[in-house]
């Protein structure tokens, strides 16, 4: 079976709510990373097969297939199509899955997978309530089948985060200590220039605006959210404005355009959970992905678990036994923001650069998807140019590994 290779990965800075990127139209924010991918890699723009973008709450400036709109806004070939995916918080990770699957099927050679979100202009859940004037207060409560199975109260990620904290015996202070560490790691990563290779500055914003100098004392002053007694804004991911993109190609494309692969897609999975619990899905998704790939957590060099809430990652760490020191190494969404449709490829972009920085081999990304469909997407990537140091026979492959010419 053909393999799918990651050649490039870039992102915008994460602009804080009402910050430096707040005024930028979603098409222009998406165009920013698309133009960078094309300019950096020497493939004629009319020879791209597709643009697959994740985006959530696709109303207003994000409506009408933002993938295609952003490509055209970048001044690129009108011959290239685009498609937009809404798999909630895992949308752009699913874009990577679809791009890799197209390449591995042999039907496409050159695809951009990415995402964009402008959360200042279009607040979170705008699409969930957009039909209220037409009599639909949410996507669930009007369904007889849904209400019979799950009740009339719509599921919420805040309730899920609270339930997780209770089940895994996590106190408010536990959550705040974890969150403070996320900010500390992000600020250190910025100070050390770790993000410089992946960020394409925009509108005068050179680095992520969202990390904060905080303290446990400041966090303890915040009110609880939506009836919770542990969950506050301090232990939740930040809304922000951002875009991200990755170039995924076939081996034929590597040869045709004289490209150097930086990693290959080793495995992709999606798994679902009880929609009321919702945010526990990364646990089962990780276990499922490792089993399918014939791997163990000890084989993984670095992990990104989307920090929708502190309790999500902390429960995952408890269940997997994985090292927190190798998880969200440069901070997570609590510090760096969670731009919904752009988050999946933002995480994978950072993972790729972290593998290169630390000379690692395998990385796993796992994103819980809020609300319906209550799933998590997991992907494993293998850095390509690192010499083998483990028993190669342990990892099953569809074909003998060879370095592309």
């Amino acid at each position: 079976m053909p393999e799918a290779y990651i050649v490039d990965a870039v992102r915008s800075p994460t602009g804080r709510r009402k910050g430096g990127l707040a005024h930028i139209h979603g098409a222009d924010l998406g165009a920013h990373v698309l133009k960078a991918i094309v300019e950096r890699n020497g493939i004629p723009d009319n020879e791209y097969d597709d643009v697959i973008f994740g985006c959530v709450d696709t109303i207003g400036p994000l409506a009408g297939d933002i993938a295609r709109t952003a490509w055209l806004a970048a001044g690129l070939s009108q011959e290239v199509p685009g498609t937009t995916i809404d798999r909630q918080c895992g949308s752009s990770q699913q874009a990577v899955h679809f791009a890799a699957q197209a390449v591995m099927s042999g039907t496409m050679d050159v695809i951009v997978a990415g995402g964009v979100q402008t959360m200042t202009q279009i607040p979170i859940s705008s699409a969930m309530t957009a039909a209220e004037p037409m009599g639909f207060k949410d996507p669930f409560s009007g369904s007889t089948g849904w209400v019979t199975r799950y009740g009339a109260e719509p599921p919420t990620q805040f309730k899920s985060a609270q339930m997780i904290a209770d089940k895994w015996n996590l106190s408010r202070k536990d959550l705040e200590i974890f969150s403070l560490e996320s900010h500390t790691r992000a600020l250190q990563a910025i100070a050390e220039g770790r993000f410089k290779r992946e960020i394409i500055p925009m509108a005068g914003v050179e680095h992520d605006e969202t990390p904060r100098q905080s303290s446990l004392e400041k966090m303890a002053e915040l009110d609880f959210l939506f009836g919770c007694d542990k969950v506050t804004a301090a232990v939740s991911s930040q809304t922000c404005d951002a875009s991200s993109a990755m170039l995924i190609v076939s081996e034929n494309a590597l040869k045709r355009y004289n490209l150097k692969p930086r990693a290959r897609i080793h495995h992709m999975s999606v798994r679902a959970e009880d929609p009321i619990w919702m945010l526990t899905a990364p646990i089962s998704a990780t276990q499922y992905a490792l089993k399918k790939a014939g791997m163990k957590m000890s084989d993984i060099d670095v992990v990104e678990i989307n920090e929708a809430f502190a309790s999500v990652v902390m429960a995952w760490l408890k269940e997997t036994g994985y090292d927190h020191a190798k998880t969200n190494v440069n901070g997570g969404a609590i510090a760096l923001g969670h731009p919904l449709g752009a988050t999946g490829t933002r995480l994978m972009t950072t993972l790729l650069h972290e593998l290169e920085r630390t000379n690692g081999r395998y990385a796993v990304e796992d994103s819980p998807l809020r609300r319906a469909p209550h799933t998590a997407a997991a992907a494993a990537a293998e850095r390509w140019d690192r010499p083998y140091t483990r028993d190669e026979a342990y990892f099953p492959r569809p074909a003998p590994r060879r370095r592309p010419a």
Side-chain angles (χ1 to χ4, degrees), residues 51-323:
V51 178
I52 308 175
F53 250 37
C55 191
V56 180
D57 295 315
T58 51
I59 61 175
L62 301 178
D65 191 2
I66 193 67
R68 168 78 168 157
T69 309
W71 179 265
L72 296 176
L76 300 170
S77 173
Q78 297 180 106
E79 300 174 33
V80 178
T83 189
T84 302
I85 298 168
D86 180 354
R87 203 164 199 168
Q88 296 291 279
C89 304
S91 296
S92 57
Q93 184 170 351
Q94 186 62 52
V96 171
H97 287 205
F98 283 159
Q101 288 161 359
V103 167
M104 294 167 76
S105 73
T107 58
M108 294 187 182
D109 290 309
V110 180
I111 306 174
V112 181
V116 63
Q117 206 73 45
T118 53
M119 299 180 75
T120 299
Q121 298 173 20
I122 307 296
I124 187 171
S125 294
S126 290
M128 297 282 185
T129 57
E132 279 190 288
M134 291 164 271
F136 301 95
K137 67 176 184 177
D138 60 69
F140 311 104
S141 58
S143 163
T144 301
W146 176 277
V147 171
T148 299
R149 190 170 189 184
Y150 298 112
E153 189 67 25
T156 77
Q157 54 189 321
F158 301 100
K159 180 179 179 181
S160 173
Q162 175 74 40
M163 290 166 60
I164 292 170
D166 291 341
K167 180 177 179 178
W168 275 273
N169 298 313
L170 302 168
S171 68
R172 172 177 179 165
K173 188 170 184 180
D174 292 334
L175 302 177
E176 290 170 343
I177 290 171
F178 179 93
S179 299
L180 184 61
E181 175 66 13
S182 183
H183 284 283
T184 299
R185 292 182 180 190
L187 290 168
Q188 181 178 350
I190 292 170
E192 294 179 1
R194 295 186 190 179
F195 297 138
K196 283 187 176 180
R197 291 178 58 232
E198 63 192 69
I199 288 179
I200 308 298
M202 186 178 195
V205 181
E206 300 286 330
H207 56 75
D208 300 313
E209 295 182 319
T210 47
R212 299 170 181 167
Q213 293 281 0
S214 190
S215 67
L216 293 178
E217 291 74 22
K218 290 180 181 178
M219 291 181 175
E221 295 174 357
L222 297 180
D223 294 332
F224 296 118
L225 299 175
F226 301 102
C228 298
D229 62 15
K230 293 179 182 178
V231 179
T232 69
V235 302
S236 311
S237 55
Q238 294 186 53
T239 60
C240 62
D241 307 308
S243 60
S244 56
M246 308 186 76
L247 176 58
I248 297 175
V249 307
S250 67
E251 186 167 337
N252 287 335
L254 291 177
K255 295 175 180 178
R256 185 185 317 144
Y257 302 110
N258 194 29
L259 301 170
K260 180 181 178 182
R262 295 169 65 180
R264 77 176 184 96
I265 304 296
H266 187 75
H267 177 78
M268 300 163 286
S269 289
V270 257
R271 300 304 290 166
E273 280 283 359
D274 180 325
I276 305 304
W277 281 91
M278 139 177 16
L279 299 173
T280 55
I283 297 168
S284 58
T286 300
Q287 294 166 343
Y288 181 83
L290 291 174
K291 182 178 180 180
K292 293 281 285 187
M295 301 177 74
K296 302 172 294 185
M297 284 306 304
S298 58
D299 299 314
I300 308 303
D301 297 297
V302 62
V303 169
E304 285 281 344
I305 302 293
N306 187 34
E307 283 178 2
F309 297 87
S311 59
V312 173
V313 187
M314 296 179 76
W316 182 90
L317 288 167
K318 283 194 171 189
E319 287 297 309
T320 62
Y322 196 68
D323 189 355

